[in-house]
Amino acid sequence: VIAFFWSPDGDKLAILSPSQESDTQLGRGPIPVPALHHTQPSPPRLDLILLDTTRGSERPLISFTPTPLFLAQLLPFFDQYALSHRLWSPRGDALVLPLVSGDGRPQIYVIPVDGQLPGKALAEGTIAFWSAAAP
C-alpha cells in the first residue's frame, strides 16, 4: 500500500498500491534508471482498490498511470493531506483522480465506486480535489 483514503462515512477505504500489471518498484525503494540508455523509464502504474470495511471485502477499480504532480507531491505526504485535500466526493460515491491518458495528456477523472467504469473525464489537469461541502 502506497496511500489510503477513508470515505466520508468511514465505511470504505480507497487504497493505492503498485499495479500488479507492471514491474515497477514503487514503494520498494528507488525506481531504477537505465544508466546507458536514452529512453525514459516507464511511469509507474497504480491500482485503485476499494475496501468495504462493513463487509470486509475488497474490489479492484482501476489500474492507472498517475500524473507526475500527484505522484511526487501528494502521494508521499498523503497522510498530511487526507483531511484537507479530499479525493472522495462528499457523498462517498466517487473519487477524483489525475490520470495520464493513453496519448500522454494529464486528465482529471471521476471514478465511481459502484463499479460503473471507466469513469468520466472532466478536463485536462494534473491534480484535483472535491469541495468539502455536502451536495
Side-chain angles (χ1 to χ4, degrees), residues 107-132:
Q107 297 281 316
I108 303 301
Y109 271 80
V110 173
I111 309 296
V113 296
D114 63 3
Q116 295 180 16
L117 293 177
K120 178 182 176 186
L122 294 179
E124 285 194 28
T126 57
I127 202 158
F129 303 102
W130 288 95
S131 167

Side-chain angles (χ1 to χ4, degrees), residues 1 3 11-12 19 41 55 59 63 70 81 109 118 122 128 131 135:
V1 172
D11 287 347
K12 296 178 273 313
S19 178
R55 296 184 182 138
R59 183 179 70 219
S63 180
F70 184 78
Y81 288 116
Y109 271 80
L122 294 179
S131 167

Side-chain angles (χ1 to χ4, degrees), residues 53-76:
T53 61
T54 60
R55 296 184 182 138
S57 62
E58 67 178 57
R59 183 179 70 219
L61 291 179
I62 61 168
S63 180
F64 68 99
T65 301
T67 60
L69 181 66
F70 184 78
L71 185 65
Q73 297 295 319
L74 186 112
L75 287 185

Side-chain angles (χ1 to χ4, degrees), residues 3-89:
F4 57 90
F5 302 90
W6 286 102
S7 65
D9 62 9
D11 287 347
K12 296 178 273 313
L13 192 62
I15 299 169
L16 295 174
S17 64
S19 178
Q20 300 301 313
E21 296 178 6
S22 68
D23 59 357
T24 179
Q25 294 183 2
L26 185 64
R28 296 183 210 118
I31 298 171
V33 178
L36 300 175
H37 299 108
H38 294 284
T39 60
Q40 294 288 331
S42 62
R45 291 185 59 79
L46 300 177
D47 287 337
L48 173 62
I49 301 164
L50 182 69
L51 175 67
D52 184 329
T53 61
T54 60
R55 296 184 182 138
S57 62
E58 67 178 57
R59 183 179 70 219
L61 291 179
I62 61 168
S63 180
F64 68 99
T65 301
T67 60
L69 181 66
F70 184 78
L71 185 65
Q73 297 295 319
L74 186 112
L75 287 185
F77 310 105
F78 79 92
D79 56 334
Q80 296 175 33
Y81 288 116
L83 296 177
S84 60
H85 294 69
R86 301 181 196 309
L87 298 182
W88 281 95
S89 68

